[in-house]
Amino acid sequence: VWGNNIGEGDFNGGLNGWTTLGLLDPATVWEWSPTASALGYWTSAVLNSVTAGNGAMVFNSDFYTSMGVNEPVGPPYQKNSGELVSPVINLSAAIDAQVRFTQAFRGLNGDDALLTEQGALFSFSTDGGTTWSPPEPVNDDLQPNQNSPNPDVRRMDMPGAAGSASVQFKFIFDGDFYYWIIDDVKVVERPANSTAIPPRGQVIAENYATPIDQIAPVYFGSYIANEGSAAQTNVTVDVVTDYYDNVGTLITDDIYTGNGLMDILEVGIDSLVLVPEAQAFIPTNIGFYQTNYNLSQDSIDAEPENNSAGSVFRITEQIYSKAPLDDNGLPIATNSFSPSGGGAFEYGIHLYIPNGMGFKADSMTFGYSGGTVGLAGQNVTLYLKKWDDVNEDAGIEDTELTVVGFNFHTYTDEEDNEMVTVPLIDFLTNLNGVPLEDDTHYLLTAEYAGTDQLFLSFNEDIDYDPMIDASFERANAADDARLVRYSDVLRNGQWFTLGFSTPGVPAISTYVSPLFINNENVSTTDAKMDVYPNPVNKLLTVTLETEQIANKWNLRVTDVVGRTMMPSQQVAHTDFPYQLNIEALPVGTYMLVLEHEGQRVGKRFVKQ
């Protein structure tokens, strides 16, 4: 209907009749970018639109807050607000007009008064700008900090605009971070029949990588959206999986096929369609599994290009990972996350182990970034925690967690932004390798207990949200909360099961091997430690024998949940035997660990 002519909605060389307005500050406005890009302190984005080569419009809130080079001060952060207003458009001959545009977007905190979580709004006028419709959120389907697909094509309805000769519409950014890039704006007639699989809307396997001995059924499905003006009937999601070996050679076409059906999909509805549980896929071989999702219905779709999606998962020899793996079997990081303002946090992944008996978790791989403070000398604690959902509410509580494995790591500068692998130590025996149990939920986490702002490595290229939603549907149908599956988990004052509320997962993995008895000591040196009396009431005597004499040993005490129970102490080698007053500790079981420059040894004790 409008936008096909050069310069109308493609921003060829500039605004071409569009106008901009700074709402809070005349200097913070939408700007034309010849490179269709947004650059700031935390931002580096280029829109991949069809006509990006002739420019696009950008609201770069990150740049306005940081001037591109200064770390933003906050929270709360500076709010920026501006409008991008279209020319007056004659839609007197239109029947059902929509605005279609291409975008790249990332938001954080929007204006609560305008009912936008992320800061992106749309409004329209049918009287040449005299009155405007209430602003409508555009990108609130995205989570805070989440990047939209790039490019991302969106449609906004304008009810009542068709038939008017004086229509205008505007894009409003109102928030603190990060950017909104818009190009190729057109007014189109809404087709009667148009369904879509939303970006990242497919239900993927619950792990990217699963050991061959821990195979469980893989459930498929997809979200479907009705973007047309008519209800759709017999909407079907067909799922087909091909099998490739470990070097990427196609072995079997259509090793799996299944489908899910929705009889009627009403207008403007997004719905989750699941392949029935009876059609679950059980892979049998090590390698890659490429799954394709295709959407169809009784009618002919006006835009079939958005009716398909894909995903990949792997069956490995011994690696569990939520994040994709590189050629060396290490989790791939694309970004890193930390609580705003820094400080202590525990972040990790949820794993359901179906066949743990006879196997052990040997090691944990993870990564951190030191940001502006660096990593040298920073300490992190690694945990494998058993989760028993006692109250069956699918929520994680400290009282439902038991530490079964742990370790500590002290960083060097060379390890900044690098993957690090450390052994997991059995909390009960102090031996390397943690025995696993059948049909059991675990959390594999990394904890930073300091005050600086450290960032845990993260992969944004994989989205488990539809899989989590699908698991809730299965759990509700069976009235069994143990069927719920999560991807990332976060403890920041309390436990959260959506991590930092952004799609993706921590770049964390674990290596699982057959269990066998060994006498390997937890220590990474020849150090031998003992504690007595055990059980103890008040004074715990700690002895240490080692040929490597260190000036200071760091002494830590944690409980079975992994919480630090006493301030860390520095103990000189000459102070052993060392008496530790534990009278203030509640009755229970604890772990005492001595550590010095990567040397560590631990013992469990009981407070009476």
Side-chain angles (χ1 to χ4, degrees), residues 39-42 62-72:
L39 300 174
Y41 185 83
W42 283 326
D62 183 348
F63 180 85
Y64 290 138
T65 302
S66 67
M67 298 311 295
V69 296
N70 302 310
E71 182 171 4

Side-chain angles (χ1 to χ4, degrees), residues 538-601:
K538 180 177 180 180
L539 292 178
L540 182 70
T541 300
V542 183
T543 64
L544 178 69
E545 297 179 14
T546 178
E547 295 178 0
Q548 300 185 24
I549 298 176
N551 291 329
K552 295 286 185 180
W553 288 79
N554 187 50
L555 185 152
R556 307 184 190 195
V557 175
T558 69
D559 66 3
V560 294
V561 178
R563 295 172 295 198
T564 299
M565 301 302 295
M566 300 178 65
S568 296
Q569 302 180 32
Q570 297 290 318
V571 182
H573 179 81
T574 54
D575 289 340
F576 291 100
Y578 180 75
Q579 286 198 319
L580 180 66
N581 190 330
I582 53 85
E583 187 175 16
L585 290 177
V587 172
T589 302
Y590 300 91
M591 173 66 77
L592 187 149
V593 176
L594 296 176
E595 182 182 22
H596 173 74
E597 294 183 351
Q599 309 170 63
R600 61 184 63 84
V601 62

Side-chain angles (χ1 to χ4, degrees), residues 104-441:
F105 174 82
R106 185 183 181 194
L108 186 58
N109 298 302
D111 189 334
D112 293 337
L114 294 176
L115 302 179
T116 170
E117 295 181 4
Q118 320 308 342
L121 295 156
F122 175 84
S123 180
F124 68 95
S125 170
T126 60
D127 53 16
T130 301
T131 59
W132 292 89
S133 67
E136 180 181 354
V138 177
N139 288 311
D140 278 13
D141 58 314
L142 302 173
Q143 298 294 332
N145 270 322
Q146 179 185 357
N147 293 292
S148 72
N150 187 357
D152 182 20
V153 177
R154 297 267 172 154
R155 290 174 177 264
M156 299 301 296
D157 291 333
M158 295 190 294
S164 171
S166 301
V167 174
Q168 284 184 284
F169 52 88
K170 58 186 176 181
F171 301 98
I172 309 163
F173 188 98
D174 197 303
D176 49 14
F177 292 105
Y178 295 86
Y179 59 85
W180 198 4
I181 313 175
I182 287 179
D183 199 9
D184 297 339
V185 184
K186 296 185 178 184
V187 180
V188 299
E189 292 280 12
R190 178 165 62 167
N193 305 309
S194 179
T195 58
I197 297 177
R200 296 185 171 190
Q202 64 271 32
V203 176
I204 64 177
E206 65 184 71
N207 307 305
Y208 173 83
T210 301
I212 185 71
D213 295 308
Q214 304 300 325
I215 286 175
V218 180
Y219 302 97
F220 293 115
S222 176
Y223 273 101
I224 53 176
N226 187 353
E227 299 177 347
S229 60
Q232 302 298 304
T233 56
N234 291 324
V235 183
T236 303
V237 177
D238 289 303
V239 181
V240 177
T241 299
D242 299 330
Y243 166 59
Y244 297 77
D245 65 16
N246 261 339
V247 296
T249 302
L250 177 62
I251 304 299
T252 308
D253 272 323
D254 301 351
I255 196 170
Y256 166 82
T257 60
N259 62 77
L261 173 67
M262 173 163 284
D263 293 333
I264 300 177
L265 180 63
E266 299 294 345
V267 175
I269 297 296
D270 283 12
S271 183
L272 183 61
V273 176
L274 301 180
V275 176
E277 288 188 34
Q279 296 182 37
F281 175 46
I282 301 179
T284 57
N285 298 299
I286 292 172
F288 294 85
Y289 293 82
Q290 169 70 51
T291 302
N292 296 309
Y293 308 74
N294 290 285
L295 182 61
S296 63
Q297 60 276 328
D298 286 339
S299 61
I300 298 176
D301 199 302
E303 294 181 290
E305 62 272 13
N306 56 17
N307 287 5
S308 60
S311 68
V312 176
F313 69 92
R314 290 181 64 176
I315 301 301
T316 64
E317 290 187 3
Q318 294 175 300
I319 301 174
Y320 258 124
S321 179
K322 297 285 189 180
L325 303 175
D326 64 16
D327 292 340
N328 296 314
L330 299 176
I332 298 171
T334 62
N335 206 332
S336 54
F337 282 93
S338 175
S340 179
F345 71 103
E346 183 177 354
Y347 195 25
I349 60 176
H350 166 241
L351 293 174
Y352 169 74
I353 307 294
N355 310 309
M357 190 67 66
F359 294 89
K360 59 185 173 68
D362 288 303
S363 62
M364 176 174 170
T365 300
F366 59 95
Y368 274 87
S369 167
T372 59
V373 300
L375 278 183
Q378 299 281 8
N379 297 303
V380 295
T381 307
L382 300 320
Y383 291 113
L384 180 64
K385 299 183 178 184
K386 178 183 173 181
W387 174 34
D388 185 7
D389 187 13
V390 177
N391 57 10
E392 298 182 351
D393 66 349
I396 301 172
E397 302 174 16
D398 274 337
T399 55
E400 298 176 336
L401 298 173
T402 303
V403 172
V404 293
F406 75 101
N407 209 334
F408 304 97
H409 184 70
T410 301
Y411 264 97
T412 65
D413 272 339
E414 292 76 15
E415 294 171 326
D416 201 328
N417 271 320
E418 297 292 331
M419 285 293 125
V420 175
T421 300
V422 301
L424 282 171
I425 300 166
D426 188 325
F427 190 83
L428 295 179
T429 66
N430 295 333
L431 300 177
N432 283 0
V434 183
L436 300 171
E437 299 178 27
D438 287 349
D439 187 27
T440 302
H441 294 260

Side-chain angles (χ1 to χ4, degrees), residues 437-450:
E437 299 178 27
D438 287 349
D439 187 27
T440 302
H441 294 260
Y442 292 91
L443 308 185
L444 187 65
T445 65
E447 180 184 34
Y448 170 66

